[in-house]
Amino acid sequence: MVREIEFIDIDGILVGHAQNLDAATGCTVILCEAGATTGVDVRGGAPGTRETDLLNPVNLVQKIHGILLAGGSAFGLDAASGVMAYLEERQVGFDVQVTHVPIVCGAVLFDLLTGDHRIRPDKDMGYQACLNAGIAERRQGCVGAGTGASVGKILGMKRAMKSGLGCHSLQVGDLKIGALVAVNCLGDVIDPLSGKKIAGLLTADLTAIDDTEAVMIQSYADRKNLFSGNTTIGVVATNAALTKAQATKLASMSQNGFARTIRPAHSMVDGDTIFAMSTGSVEADLSVVGLLAARAMERAVVAAVKNAQSLCGMICYSDLVL
């Protein structure tokens, strides 16, 4: 029997957000002070990431202590310094005699055209997100890394829709698997349960959702970069016992959640990235963990859209009658 739980119910996981609503940007941290075996899968053609090379199974580091998801494009990677400072103060990380060095990975999305581009997630915001981390953190929508997120931007921001951050988690017996995602894609978002578009490129009169893929196909011969400010970034976490190689495979399998909900997914102007964290010791078939992760991720993408609120004049899901 599969039942829904909270992302923060995954063993050893804490989530925290910090944001600036006036500037329409923010960051989200996923902390595991005891360390989590982690893998990553980067499929978008324009990623902005931090410390992803060390997650290669052939490399030394086996566990990490935090993941940062942030707006601000490449500038937002600065927020990881705040996560590092927070964890170092608590002596979390590798003991190198003179201090502890926490391992913090991260990914960013482009939200500079929403709100005030001069304000981006920085060290202070990353630190504040860590201070806000706790077992009661359940917010979705325009929060953390999803604060400035938007979708359907191929014809510019006037016809884009507001998106945000979403979560969805599942439990089968002792096995828990959860997904958290900030949805900022080039394309349209479909709810697989109904087959209907729930967000994306708006029609010229801003009353319905158009078709991003149709626009792209019609302009197939035009090789200019129509819009480069995208990227959907997320984390799946499980209490299943996984090796680093298995966590990497889990991150790859979780991308099916993007493929089922985002059209198109993994374009050359998206930086789609998923981290997979293993924090427990529950024995489970990786194929089962992977299919549940993909299912959780697709529902998290839908939740990111349905929980979004209007911001900076952008229309959100609840503004449209679909």
Side-chain angles (χ1 to χ4, degrees):
M1 182 64 144
V2 180
R3 66 184 183 92
E4 296 182 9
I5 58 174
E6 297 286 346
F7 184 83
I8 53 177
D9 290 334
I10 309 299
D11 302 345
I13 292 292
L14 292 176
V15 175
H17 307 295
Q19 55 280 318
N20 183 319
L21 292 177
D22 292 330
T25 194
C27 65
T28 296
V29 295
I30 301 91
L31 303 178
C32 184
E33 295 189 7
T37 303
T38 303
V40 67
D41 188 87
V42 182
R43 294 203 184 175
T49 57
R50 180 185 194 275
E51 296 278 42
T52 52
D53 282 350
L54 61 77
L55 298 181
N56 187 317
V58 305
N59 289 335
L60 176 65
V61 171
Q62 294 301 306
K63 292 188 176 184
I64 71 168
H65 308 97
I67 292 176
L68 167 79
L69 305 179
S73 189
F75 297 109
L77 290 171
D78 183 41
S81 297
V83 185
M84 292 281 289
Y86 174 88
L87 293 173
E88 183 187 22
E89 287 175 2
R90 285 151 183 79
Q91 297 186 332
V92 173
F94 288 101
D95 186 350
V96 293
Q97 297 184 3
V98 293
T99 188
H100 286 74
V101 180
I103 305 299
V104 178
C105 300
V108 293
L109 55 79
F110 184 100
D111 59 5
L112 298 179
L113 298 185
T114 306
D116 188 344
H117 74 277
R118 297 167 297 181
I119 298 175
R120 305 99 179 217
D122 56 12
K123 181 177 181 179
D124 290 341
M125 186 179 284
Y127 191 90
Q128 185 61 51
C130 293
L131 292 176
N132 294 340
I135 59 173
E137 183 54 84
R138 293 179 171 86
R139 288 181 295 167
Q140 300 186 71
C142 296
V143 64
T147 303
S150 56
V151 300
K153 295 168 281 190
I154 194 167
L155 296 180
M157 296 303 293
K158 290 183 179 179
R159 290 176 61 178
M161 281 185 67
K162 190 71 186 73
S163 182
L165 181 136
C167 301
H168 193 86
S169 302
L170 303 167
Q171 181 170 356
V172 184
D174 293 331
L175 175 65
K176 300 175 182 178
I177 181 79
L180 180 152
V181 64
V183 180
N184 191 59
C185 57
L186 169 75
D188 308 320
V189 177
I190 290 85
D191 185 342
L193 295 184
S194 66
K196 295 181 179 179
K197 292 180 183 177
I198 58 174
L201 173 68
L202 291 167
T203 54
D205 61 4
L206 308 182
T207 61
I209 301 172
D210 211 325
D211 191 329
T212 294
E213 289 190 332
V215 171
M216 294 177 71
I217 291 169
Q218 290 168 5
S219 58
Y220 75 92
D222 187 351
R223 300 179 64 182
K224 70 178 182 179
N225 185 352
L226 292 176
F227 200 82
S228 60
N230 311 288
T231 296
T232 298
I233 50 178
V235 175
V236 295
T238 180
N239 65 349
L242 301 179
T243 65
K244 197 174 173 184
Q246 289 173 323
T248 301
K249 182 62 177 177
L250 177 60
S252 174
M253 298 168 79
S254 303
Q255 293 273 10
N256 290 333
F258 286 1
R260 294 172 189 165
T261 54
I262 300 171
R263 298 181 186 173
H266 312 137
S267 78
M268 289 303 294
V269 292
D270 286 290
D272 299 342
T273 299
I274 296 178
F275 298 92
M277 307 173 74
S278 167
T279 66
S281 57
V282 175
E283 294 298 326
D285 185 326
L286 180 59
S287 294
V288 176
V289 179
L291 73 86
L292 289 172
R295 185 181 299 182
M297 183 58 77
E298 70 177 55
R299 300 317 304 167
V301 171
V302 171
V305 166
K306 290 189 173 182
N307 285 285
Q309 303 87 35
S310 294
L311 190 67
C312 300
M314 278 192 287
I315 290 172
C316 66
Y317 171 80
S318 61
D319 294 327
L320 295 178
V321 179
L322 301 175

